[in-house]
Amino acid sequence: MRSSVAETTARRILIVDDDEPLLRFITRGLARAGFTTLAADSGSSGIAQLRAQSFDCVLFDLYMPGVDGLDVLRFSRTLSPPPPFIVLT
């Protein structure tokens, strides 16, 4: 029997979005699919999580008040290696 990547190794995904309902929806859906997820409700919170932990992928909203998605992306480029990003907008 063949298993998916998500079943054999829990991929860690950071979701950064200031829209709480959307953040919960994405987090729950990815968790149900077998991914390990962490939610951040602001750009500054997302950067703090990126400083503290490593992730296999980051999903982020481009437009957020204060520290926005571009700031999160700029910070991530300082990491070695930088995680892949998916922009939500």
Side-chain angles (χ1 to χ4, degrees):
M1 178 199 258
R2 217 172 136 191
S3 62
S4 73
V5 172
E7 292 172 356
T8 58
T9 58
R11 300 291 183 177
R12 295 177 43 78
I13 300 176
L14 174 64
I15 304 115
V16 184
D17 199 320
D18 62 326
D19 181 336
E20 289 291 328
L22 183 60
L23 185 62
R24 283 193 308 269
F25 176 76
I26 294 170
T27 300
R28 275 192 238 133
L30 289 172
R32 285 185 186 139
F35 294 94
T36 301
T37 60
L38 185 71
D41 61 2
S42 68
S44 58
S45 177
I47 289 173
Q49 291 301 326
L50 285 166
R51 280 190 175 119
Q53 306 177 55
S54 63
F55 294 92
D56 296 302
C57 184
V58 180
L59 280 72
F60 70 98
D61 183 13
L62 194 56
Y63 302 106
M64 292 181 283
V67 177
D68 65 14
L70 288 177
D71 295 322
V72 176
L73 183 59
R74 281 185 202 103
F75 173 78
S76 75
R77 297 181 116 191
T78 68
L79 302 173
S80 182
F85 272 77
I86 297 173
V87 178
L88 304 171
T89 188

